[in-house]
Amino acid sequence: MKIPPDHPRAEVLKIRERLVQGFEDGYVVPQGMIAQGRGEAFDYLIGEKTIPPVREAIKAAAAAFKLAEHPVISVNGNTAALCSEDLVELSEVTGAPLEVNLFHRTEDRVKKIAKVLKEAGADRVLGVDPEHLVRLPNLSSPRAVVDDRGIHRADVVLVPLEDGDRTNALKELGKTVVAIDLNPLSRTARSADITIVDNVVRCVRKITREYERMDQDRARYVLREYDNGRVLARVLDHIRERLRVLSDEAAGAT
Ligand code: PTJ
């Protein structure tokens, strides 16, 4: 669909169209649309911008990547449709491989997502070659199928848009989990080591820029000072304050 450029919500509508296209191309699942709707609702609440506490989480994510020996970026249908170029750039700058890892896993979707990533510039995509696929021992969903060169051996895993079953499993295996999730109340958001409450279309390139600016000493300092619980509390405070202001405005307008 062609979005009228003067539509007040043109940007959001264009992002939706990318998901619809991914659905029509057969690699975004219908559940992905529901996920996007939920994300949009939370994005409204935070004001559709990267708020200050989230900048702290983004710095911590860059620091975790800087200090990691085997960082990996997990990619699902939604993120492939929404920000594949940004994910490829993050992968190139940090050296972290991209791995397709799906909840609604089919071989057809895995291949299509790998193709989307390659078209966006990726040299190599993990999670595709059956010879390298193994199962995580402590997870029953299809997300347990991982690459032995990727998530299986990773020390830091970036998990954008999760549905909540994997973060704890990865943590139990001693991995550091960096989540991107617009819902600060989700299980994933609350159990990750570092939670970026932001839209993937805004924050992935910000992680890359922070990574480029940061040296190892700074990364160690950032991680020492980082407290994910405090960041999540500040995000919720931001939403509460924003709702208070909006509520006052609405009361004044009546
Ligand atoms: O491609 P698959 O098979 O791996 O399936 C992917 C989906 C997204 C369908 C699957 O992981 C799922 O069902 O996820 P949930 O349970 O809907 O959770 C997705 C979370 O991501 C929710 O908390 C949303 O608020 C959040 N979210 C949605 N869109 C965005 C987002 N977070 C950041 N940026 C977004 N654009």
Side-chain angles (χ1 to χ4, degrees):
M1 183 196 162
K2 195 160 165 26
I3 309 294
D6 58 346
H7 191 290
R9 305 284 297 156
E11 278 315 305
V12 172
L13 297 182
K14 274 193 234 157
I15 291 167
R16 275 190 200 165
E17 283 308 305
R18 282 191 236 158
L19 273 183
V20 172
Q21 189 60 53
F23 175 70
E24 283 170 3
D25 293 345
Y27 66 89
V28 171
V29 281
Q31 294 86 339
M33 314 281 197
I34 299 170
Q36 174 70 11
R38 185 141 43 116
E40 280 181 16
F42 279 102
D43 212 4
Y44 241 93
L45 293 178
I46 64 173
E48 296 176 318
K49 60 183 186 200
T50 306
I51 60 174
V54 173
R55 289 190 182 274
E56 247 185 70
I58 288 171
K59 274 195 192 122
F65 267 65
K66 190 65 91 182
L67 298 177
E69 279 178 31
H70 299 294
V72 174
I73 302 164
S74 183
V75 184
N76 64 14
N78 282 47
T79 45
L82 291 176
C83 59
S84 45
E85 281 86 3
D86 292 348
L87 292 169
V88 169
E89 187 197 27
L90 179 65
S91 167
E92 275 170 4
V93 169
T94 61
L98 298 161
E99 176 166 340
V100 181
N101 181 276
L102 302 178
F103 187 69
H104 307 277
R105 186 184 175 92
T106 65
E107 291 323 300
D108 181 53
R109 288 188 67 218
V110 170
K111 284 191 188 131
K112 283 181 171 158
I113 291 168
K115 186 162 171 268
V116 169
L117 291 170
K118 290 207 167 137
E119 282 167 3
D123 291 337
R124 189 166 81 123
V125 178
L126 304 182
V128 186
D129 181 352
E131 283 190 10
H132 285 280
L133 296 182
V134 291
R135 281 195 77 91
L136 293 178
N138 54 349
L139 187 61
S140 56
S141 84
R143 269 199 230 274
V145 179
V146 293
D147 197 303
D148 59 9
R149 301 159 298 175
I151 291 172
H152 190 251
R153 74 197 281 253
D155 52 354
V156 173
V157 188
L158 177 68
V159 293
L161 270 93
E162 281 277 340
D163 74 341
D165 66 331
R166 187 166 56 144
T167 301
N168 277 327
L170 292 174
K171 283 182 65 171
E172 274 167 27
L173 296 171
K175 301 173 194 301
T176 297
V177 178
V178 180
I180 301 175
D181 191 336
L182 275 163
N183 177 2
L185 304 172
S186 76
R187 267 170 54 103
T188 296
R190 294 198 302 177
S191 52
D193 296 286
I194 299 168
T195 309
I196 300 173
V197 184
D198 202 1
N199 201 316
V200 283
V201 301
R202 284 196 298 270
C203 69
V204 173
R205 66 189 80 134
K206 292 191 170 97
I207 305 173
T208 310
R209 298 289 86 79
E210 285 295 343
Y211 182 94
E212 286 170 331
R213 275 200 282 268
M214 197 176 283
D215 64 21
Q216 296 226 336
D217 282 346
R218 173 88 188 136
R220 273 188 279 274
Y221 173 78
V222 166
L223 282 187
R224 231 184 0 255
E225 294 294 305
Y226 187 73
D227 177 343
N228 203 49
R230 193 184 60 205
V231 165
L232 284 177
R234 285 173 59 206
V235 169
L236 292 170
D237 286 345
H238 168 90
I239 292 173
R240 182 172 54 189
E241 178 57 16
R242 190 171 138 74
L243 288 176
R244 194 191 59 73
V245 170
L246 290 172
S247 155
D248 286 354
E249 276 173 20
T254 54

